[in-house]
Amino acid sequence: IIYNTLNFVKQQRIEFKCPAELKESAISYFNKGNLKLEYLEICDSTTLEILENNWREFMTVSIAAYCGEVRLIDNMEI
């Protein structure tokens, strides 16, 4: 579900007017799985500033989630 959610964000980026809306949709998508989400953020790839209102040219989506007691993290350039 982590990888699928990262791909969902990458593919759906053009469908949303701002990162905050895409983040909400991505969290809903992620929650269809069985892992417990710690965080999902869309940020500037260079500064790691969390983006809410404006898109940037280079962005990264990051996820942290738990599978039982194991913490899993991943990210993808979007």
Side-chain angles (χ1 to χ4, degrees):
I1 191 69
I2 291 174
Y3 180 75
N4 290 342
T5 302
L6 294 173
N7 276 318
F8 172 85
V9 171
K10 187 172 187 173
Q11 294 169 358
Q12 296 296 316
R13 177 182 165 205
I14 59 173
E15 301 295 324
F16 292 85
K17 66 179 183 179
C18 70
E21 287 183 355
L22 178 53
K23 177 182 171 179
E24 284 183 37
S25 184
I27 289 171
S28 293
Y29 182 92
F30 181 88
N31 286 332
K32 294 177 184 176
N34 295 323
L35 301 180
K36 181 181 175 192
L37 184 66
E38 180 180 354
Y39 67 82
L40 183 150
E41 295 294 348
I42 300 171
C43 60
D44 181 286
S45 293
T46 304
T47 65
L48 299 180
E49 172 190 356
I50 294 173
L51 304 176
E52 294 186 11
N53 299 314
N54 300 309
W55 297 110
R56 301 280 171 87
E57 184 175 357
F58 300 103
M59 296 176 293
T60 300
V61 58
S62 300
I63 295 178
Y66 284 93
C67 180
E69 294 183 24
V70 177
R71 184 173 185 255
L72 305 167
I73 60 171
D74 205 352
N75 64 72
M76 179 182 285
E77 293 280 330
I78 59 169

